[in-house]
């Protein structure tokens, strides 16, 4: 019960406090929306198939930027103000803490993911989409992207640093994950890199759900995404403990002269 | 290490019977921790900050709201409860941070420099609150650079130099063990200088120092039994108006124990933090 109360309150606190922070608005909302509008406007509205074919890539991109930006904000703001220590010192497990911190970003990423769908609904016919598979794809992509964002944020001290490190991964992923053109159009030597990126499988799941195309079975995509999520989840826990819970030798100078306890 | 933010490389930690290494999360449930910086959430108001901190300890909504209101009242922040934390003064931030540390009624409270850098009035209030908590049965671990603060409110004191405890004990024990002399100042009606040598001769265990005709000091390595001295003076027609023990300060003891000079200590204090 303690874990559930803490989980829920950390989640709602993050949602209330950080959704509308400027770094999140610029990278998590404005950037994906601008990219989306640019793609929609340049696409002739008569060619329905083009708008639909853009949707999976735009959704995956929105998730990637939305989730990683949210984590960059929630973690680094709290690290800088040392309020994250408060969470580390609470009687809740690291698993609960990580789940609570990523849930807000997953939710945010999922909401942002459906903004291109909303715009596309005015431009093209969206019938025939497998919504269950699309929602599953959105959620799994959001979870892996959020954990990737957490892994980056844990290693950053400032919000701008986290956003810069995130861009180091995000921009190459836009081109390497098959969001806007198929992976088989990439040079052969880059394709193995594409298959190492979780977003490739998220975009593939969305492609299959929305356009019925995709290079892999949706179940296999799901399993690979779950695998990435588990790996990243444990990596993040390990990294938080390693970076933020210091190992000290007994007797290490820690308190200079004049210290009284 | 005790609160779980550093891992020990050896030894054991037992907190109220709980293994502080293997079961640190359980131990954290009975601890309140107040860092040296006011680390609450700038975006939230005082009331919400307290409620959020309570939720981390599994307190239900009604319970945490009730407790938050009680603490805001107790810490004199009732009117500021709805204001964002970032709009608080430094003293108010400190008080709210301490309130957040005790929101779940911890058995053990860790306070890291609670009065550093805040105004005198807030510092007094915080000291008074610490004493109240102590009286209510909370074990308080207080870290401070203000030696007089430790002297005033702590039952047991440890001097830490370069991360190591160099001396620990109650105030009296530290004073005794430091080998400080016992000094009694006597205020007389007159004639102190005239009997100085006589007094020194008849009380060879004591050292007598006369300051002026009305003041003399009795100095001894052990506690002084005063009545023989008073009777002796009375027998010679000298009245004693006041006898006062001149105690060395804890700072004197600290300087003696650690060998750290007073001016260096002062610089350290002014520097504030470790």
């Amino acid at each position: 019960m303690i874990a559930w109360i803490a989980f829920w309150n950390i989640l709602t606190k993050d949602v209330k406090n950080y959704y509308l922070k400027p770094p999140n608005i610029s990278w998590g909302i404005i950037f994906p929306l601008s990219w989306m509008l640019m793609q929609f406007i340049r696409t002739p509205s008569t060619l329905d198939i083009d708008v639909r074919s853009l949707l999976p890539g735009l959704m995956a991109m929105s998730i990637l930027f939305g989730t990683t930006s949210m984590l960059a904000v929630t973690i680094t703001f709290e690290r800088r103000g040392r309020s994250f220590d408060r969470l580390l010192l609470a009687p809740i497990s690291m698993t609960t803490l990580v789940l609570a911190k990523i849930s807000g970003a997953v939710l945010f990423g999922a909401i942002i993911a459906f903004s291109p769908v909303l715009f596309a609904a005015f431009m093209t016919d969206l019938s025939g989409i497998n919504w269950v598979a699309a929602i599953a794809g959105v959620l799994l992509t959001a979870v892996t992207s959020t954990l990737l964002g957490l892994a980056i944020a844990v290693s950053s001290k400032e919000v701008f640093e986290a956003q810069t490190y995130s861009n180091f991964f995000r921009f190459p992923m836009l081109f390497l994950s098959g969001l806007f053109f198929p992976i088989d159009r990439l040079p052969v030597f880059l394709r193995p890199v594409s298959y190492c990126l979780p977003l490739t499988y998220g975009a593939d799941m969305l492609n299959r759900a929305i356009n019925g195309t995709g290079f892999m079975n949706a179940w296999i995509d799901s399993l690979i995404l779950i695998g990435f999520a588990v790996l990243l989840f444990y990596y993040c826990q390990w990294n938080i403990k390693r970076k933020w819970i210091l190992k000290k030798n007994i007797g290490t100078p820690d308190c200079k002269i004049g210290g009284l306890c | 290490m005790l609160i779980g933010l550093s891992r020990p490389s050896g030894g054991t930690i037992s907190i109220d019977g709980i293994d502080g290494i293997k079961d640190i999360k359980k131990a954290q449930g009975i601890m309140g921790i107040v860092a040296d910086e006011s680390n609450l959430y700038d975006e939230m108001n005082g009331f919400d900050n307290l409620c959020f901190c309570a939720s981390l300890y599994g307190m239900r909504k009604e319970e945490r709201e009730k407790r938050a209101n009680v603490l805001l009242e107790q810490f004199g922040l009732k009117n500021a409860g709805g204001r964002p934390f970032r709009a608080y003064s430094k003293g108010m931030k400190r008080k709210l941070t301490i309130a957040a540390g005790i929101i779940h009624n911890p058995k053990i409270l860790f306070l890291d420099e609670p009065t550093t850098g805040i105004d005198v009035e807030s510092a007094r209030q915080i000291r008074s609150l610490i004493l109240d908590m102590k009286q209510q049965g909370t074990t308080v671990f207080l870290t401070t650079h203000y030696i007089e603060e430790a002297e005033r409110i702590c039952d047991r004191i440890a001097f830490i130099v370069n991360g190591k405890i160099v001396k620990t004990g109650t105030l009296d024990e530290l004073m005794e063990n430091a080998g400080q002399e016992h000094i009694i100042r006597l205020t007389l009606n007159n004639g102190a200088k005239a009997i100085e040598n006589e007094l020194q001769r008849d009380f060879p265990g004591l050292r007598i120092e006369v300051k002026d005709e009305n003041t003399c000091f009795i100095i001894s390595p052990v506690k002084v039994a005063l009545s023989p001295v008073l009777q002796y003076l009375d027998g010679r027609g000298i009245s004693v108006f006041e006898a006062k023990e001149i105690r060395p300060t804890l700072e004197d003891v600290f300087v003696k124990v650690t060998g750290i000079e007073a001016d260096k200590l002062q610089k350290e204090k002014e520097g504030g933090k470790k």
Side-chain angles (χ1 to χ4, degrees), chain A residues 1-3 5-6 9-11 13 16-18 21 77-78 80-94 238 240-261, chain B residues 1 3-10 25 28-29 33 35-37 39-41 43-44 52-53 55-60 64 97 100 142-145 147 150 156-164 254 260 264-265 268 274:
Chain A
M1 196 62 191
I2 291 180
I5 292 172
N9 280 277
I10 293 170
L11 169 62
K13 185 255 307 162
K16 282 182 198 164
N17 289 351
Y18 303 119
K21 284 275 182 196
F77 263 96
E78 294 193 353
R80 199 176 53 188
R82 289 183 63 186
S83 47
F84 200 87
D85 286 354
R86 199 166 276 289
L87 307 180
L88 291 174
L89 293 171
I92 51 170
S93 68
M94 189 61 78
W238 172 79
I240 289 173
K241 283 181 189 164
R242 187 177 67 94
K243 282 191 177 287
W244 296 344
I245 300 178
L246 305 171
K247 186 173 176 68
K248 276 188 185 166
N249 292 318
I250 289 173
T252 299
D254 168 55
C255 187
K256 279 197 263 174
I257 57 168
L260 291 168
C261 289
Chain B
M1 236 176 270
I3 62 174
L5 271 188
S6 295
R7 290 189 214 104
S9 56
K25 286 292 159 192
Q28 283 171 339
I33 298 144
D36 58 336
E37 285 173 33
N39 60 350
L40 288 168
Y41 299 88
E43 299 79 7
M44 290 156 71
F52 173 71
C53 293
S55 76
L56 296 176
Y57 293 86
M59 288 168 75
R60 289 172 190 279
R64 56 183 186 247
T97 309
L142 171 78
T143 313
T144 181
H145 277 83
I147 294 185
R156 284 176 60 77
I157 297 164
F159 295 141
I160 297 180
V161 178
N162 290 329
K164 286 187 178 169
F254 181 84
I260 293 165
K264 208 173 175 185
L265 187 65
E268 182 72 17
K274 303 162 204 174

Side-chain angles (χ1 to χ4, degrees), chain B residues 26 32 35 50 53 74 79 89 97 115 131 170 179-180 192-193 211 235 239 247 249 258:
Chain B
K26 192 175 176 191
L50 291 183
C53 293
Q74 189 184 342
N79 295 330
S89 70
T97 309
T115 58
L131 287 171
T170 63
Q180 295 286 343
K193 283 194 172 168
K211 187 181 165 198
S239 301
R247 291 170 66 94
T249 64
T258 61

Side-chain angles (χ1 to χ4, degrees), chain B residues 41-251:
Chain B
Y41 299 88
D42 279 342
E43 299 79 7
M44 290 156 71
N45 65 36
F47 178 77
D48 287 344
N49 259 304
L50 291 183
C51 288
F52 173 71
C53 293
S55 76
L56 296 176
Y57 293 86
M59 288 168 75
R60 289 172 190 279
K61 194 168 185 285
E62 306 75 42
E63 190 188 358
R64 56 183 186 247
E65 285 181 356
K66 194 175 162 191
R67 177 83 175 133
N69 279 319
V70 168
L71 287 173
L72 285 172
E73 183 84 50
Q74 189 184 342
F75 282 73
L77 297 169
K78 188 77 183 164
N79 295 330
R83 276 160 49 190
F85 184 66
R86 64 171 166 267
Y88 279 31
S89 70
K90 207 167 180 184
M92 288 162 78
K93 281 185 175 179
R94 210 74 200 105
K95 283 192 272 186
L96 194 74
T97 309
I98 295 174
I102 59 168
I103 189 88
H104 57 297
N105 288 311
K107 284 186 178 177
I108 303 162
L109 178 65
F110 289 87
L111 286 172
D112 193 0
E113 307 215 30
T115 58
T116 299
I118 62 171
D119 61 279
V120 176
E121 181 55 28
S122 296
R124 280 171 65 96
Q125 278 181 8
I126 288 172
R127 283 188 204 111
S128 161
L129 288 162
I130 295 169
L131 287 171
D132 286 347
M133 284 184 268
K134 190 178 93 172
Q135 279 187 334
Q136 285 160 19
T138 307
T139 301
V140 182
F141 277 81
L142 171 78
T143 313
T144 181
H145 277 83
Y146 300 130
I147 294 185
E148 58 279 15
E149 184 170 87
E151 187 172 1
R152 206 179 305 168
I153 62 180
C154 296
D155 292 329
R156 284 176 60 77
I157 297 164
F159 295 141
I160 297 180
V161 178
N162 290 329
K164 286 187 178 169
I165 294 177
V166 293
K167 196 84 184 171
T168 183
T170 63
L171 187 59
D172 287 340
E173 283 167 356
L174 288 172
M175 297 288 191
E176 291 289 334
N177 294 341
Q180 295 286 343
E181 290 172 316
H182 293 263
I183 304 169
I184 308 285
R185 186 184 66 201
L186 298 180
T187 307
L188 315 173
N189 62 340
N190 210 346
K193 283 194 172 168
I195 60 150
E196 182 178 1
N197 292 336
E198 200 180 334
L199 199 59
Q200 186 66 76
R201 189 190 64 227
D202 292 342
F203 293 92
L206 307 176
R207 200 167 86 240
I208 310 295
E209 284 180 11
V210 172
K211 187 181 165 198
D212 54 42
E213 284 296 345
N214 304 102
T215 313
C216 83
F217 293 94
I218 299 173
I219 301 159
S220 161
V222 293
K223 283 204 168 190
V224 182
L226 268 183
S227 57
V229 181
L230 297 180
Q231 280 172 8
Y232 183 91
L233 292 171
D234 195 45
R236 279 152 186 77
I238 297 171
S239 301
V240 178
F241 296 133
E242 186 186 49
K244 188 174 181 183
E245 185 180 13
I246 307 295
R247 291 170 66 94
T249 64
L250 190 61
E251 189 164 319

Side-chain angles (χ1 to χ4, degrees), chain A residues 95 147 229-239:
Chain A
T95 305
L147 286 164
V230 171
L231 272 178
L232 284 166
F233 184 80
Y234 284 105
Y235 170 74
C236 288
Q237 280 203 56
W238 172 79
N239 208 19

